[in-house]
Amino acid sequence: MTSNPSVTGAPVGVRPAVRAVPAYPFTPIQVPIKLDQNENPYDFPAELKAKAAERMLAQPWNRYPDLHADTLAARIAKYEDWDADGVVVTPGSNVLIKLLTELAGIEQTVLTVDPTFSVYTLEAKMLGARLVQVPLNEDFSMPVDRLKIELQRQRPGVLYITQPHAPTGHVDDLAAVRELLEAAGEWVVVLDEAYYQYSGTDCRDLVRQYPNALSLRTFSKAWGLAGLRAGYALAGADLATQLQKLVPAFNVSILIQSALEVALENPGYVQERVAEAVAERGRVLAALEDHPTCQAMPSRANFFLLRTPDAEVAYRHLIDHGIVTRRQDRLTGLEGCLRVGIGTPAENDALIEAVRALK
Ligand SMILES: *Cc1c(COP(=O)(O)O)cnc(C)c1O
């Protein structure tokens, strides 16, 4: 049989739930200032990169890595003051979100707020979980009472909470998070802490107290290693063991493990950059405070929402000024909003100037 180069029509056998989800809507735009993916504006320090490369060269590339990245997991455990049996490492925490949805969402429920991080809802839809979303309060705080009602009403599954929240940058009181954990019963509760370094918050103590809770953390943001692809879950040993079953064997390459070991041995650079980003966040928000038509919303993360009179016009205007941001205006309650990352001081200067020129 020869293959037909112009196959048309729907491929046979694809589950309708997968077909129904649009391909991930991200189109790279080539402009000098990239504030659209909440990345660290600075690369991994050059001297650490050189060390990592050296360590990569010292590895045997013909051998499989540890089955579950056990050595790396132990290093992360030490860094996080966590039991190594409770650390699960994958190529990015997005992978963990898929696996957690497999663990507790399929044929059960995925509960989250609205708006929320798109990966939670995409995976729920594709994996055939029942998706329930509760609108955020107007001030972007968690709708604790309504979430508690759904925790009672729905068949258990997985609850996704993001602290700081994405894309608003809002942080809730730990008491609110605890109230949900108290109410969660048999639900798995995922506390996605992708940006915790920028908020100075930490849910680890809560995770220690609730065996159904876990914290997701990533090397993609404060560590400045989004290109490497690595994230991890911190959980109790029982929950981690169940989650680990779903992780494909050998899923973190020996090269990535080498680089992450070097990062974990030299974490000082992270603190410096986070301090700069936090100071810059304050500076940018203050500089835009008296804007006649745009509202820069307070945030505890390395990004903030900019509410504009017309998101399409504002987005184009910023691109014309060499700055790419992320449109969020189609999300519930975020009419007119762009999500803007905190860049280097020079990039932020350019942003402030461009936003000020926006009518
Ligand atoms: C960026 C981000 C992550 C990190 O994803 P990786 O796959 O680890 O790069 C996780 N959760 C949220 C809410 C994020 O914004």
Side-chain angles (χ1 to χ4, degrees):
M1 225 173 92
T2 54
S3 66
N4 182 347
S6 58
V7 177
T8 52
V12 185
V14 174
R15 286 187 298 115
V18 176
R19 201 190 298 284
V21 168
Y24 194 71
F26 186 77
T27 323
I29 294 192
Q30 300 303 327
V31 292
I33 302 181
K34 197 174 171 328
L35 304 179
D36 60 336
Q37 286 187 289
N38 303 344
E39 296 151 320
N40 201 307
Y42 300 107
D43 196 357
F44 194 40
E47 67 277 13
L48 298 185
K49 230 184 197 179
K51 270 191 199 166
E54 216 174 281
R55 204 169 298 189
M56 286 176 186
L57 289 176
Q59 302 296 329
W61 291 14
N62 59 323
R63 300 295 176 196
Y64 280 102
D66 294 349
L67 184 61
H68 296 315
D70 308 289
T71 308
L72 175 62
R75 300 282 179 97
I76 292 170
K78 190 155 175 259
Y79 176 79
E80 292 281 17
D81 189 20
W82 204 259
D83 187 340
D85 295 342
V87 180
V88 178
V89 192
T90 62
S93 49
N94 281 344
V95 172
L96 283 162
I97 294 164
K98 181 188 282 293
L99 300 178
L100 285 158
T101 308
E102 290 179 9
L103 182 81
I106 292 180
E107 291 171 9
Q108 305 196 87
T109 312
V110 166
L111 174 61
T112 188
V113 293
D114 181 26
T116 196
F117 185 46
S118 61
V119 179
Y120 311 150
T121 55
L122 274 175
E123 293 295 354
K125 287 173 187 164
M126 284 195 290
L127 293 171
R130 182 179 155 70
L131 175 63
V132 178
Q133 287 184 268
V134 177
L136 284 179
N137 297 326
E138 225 162 282
D139 66 354
F140 297 151
S141 62
M142 271 197 298
V144 174
D145 291 337
R146 288 198 54 194
L147 283 169
K148 281 166 73 178
I149 290 171
E150 297 302 336
L151 286 169
Q152 290 297 322
R153 177 154 62 190
Q154 307 293 337
R155 180 156 166 232
V158 54
L159 166 63
Y160 285 106
I161 292 171
T162 326
Q163 291 291 314
H165 181 267
T168 67
H170 182 87
V171 172
D172 291 276
D173 291 337
L174 272 182
V177 180
R178 179 187 294 280
E179 207 178 325
L180 291 172
L181 286 164
E182 275 298 324
E186 292 169 26
W187 290 73
V188 170
V189 182
V190 178
L191 306 173
D192 186 339
E193 297 192 281
Y195 302 98
Y196 78 95
Q197 293 96 334
Y198 300 100
S199 55
T201 55
D202 188 345
C203 291
R204 279 178 303 175
D205 277 346
L206 284 176
V207 174
R208 282 193 181 93
Q209 292 164 44
Y210 295 87
N212 282 5
L214 54 84
S215 165
L216 290 192
R217 297 182 170 208
T218 179
F219 286 98
S220 298
K221 307 287 161 56
W223 291 88
L225 295 169
L228 290 189
R229 309 306 302 128
Y232 55 92
L234 303 176
D238 287 349
L239 184 55
T241 301
Q242 302 308 317
L243 178 59
Q244 190 70 70
K245 289 180 190 173
L246 290 162
V247 180
F250 316 115
N251 85 132
V252 184
S253 107
I254 195 91
L255 305 181
I256 303 309
Q257 293 193 43
S258 300
L260 293 176
E261 281 175 22
V262 171
L264 286 161
E265 288 161 17
N266 301 276
Y269 76 97
V270 177
Q271 225 174 327
E272 282 167 36
R273 290 170 175 196
V274 166
E276 183 187 280
V278 168
E280 284 292 294
R281 179 182 71 200
R283 186 174 75 86
V284 173
L285 291 176
L288 297 177
E289 206 168 44
D290 57 359
H291 196 283
T293 60
C294 295
Q295 189 193 358
M297 317 263 218
S299 166
R300 301 275 301 275
N302 66 338
F303 58 82
F304 64 96
L305 289 175
L306 182 69
R307 203 186 284 274
T308 71
D310 183 326
E312 169 70 20
V313 168
Y315 178 79
R316 290 282 148 212
H317 168 89
L318 291 175
I319 288 191
D320 290 344
H321 285 72
I323 302 167
V324 64
T325 61
R326 191 100 158 112
R327 285 184 66 166
Q328 306 277 269
D329 54 299
R330 291 183 196 92
L331 303 185
T332 310
L334 302 189
E335 294 75 18
C337 286
L338 304 179
R339 191 192 66 206
V340 184
I342 298 296
T344 64
E347 291 174 337
N348 300 332
D349 285 344
L351 174 80
I352 291 167
E353 197 173 319
V355 175
R356 280 182 175 159
L358 184 63
K359 293 293 171 280

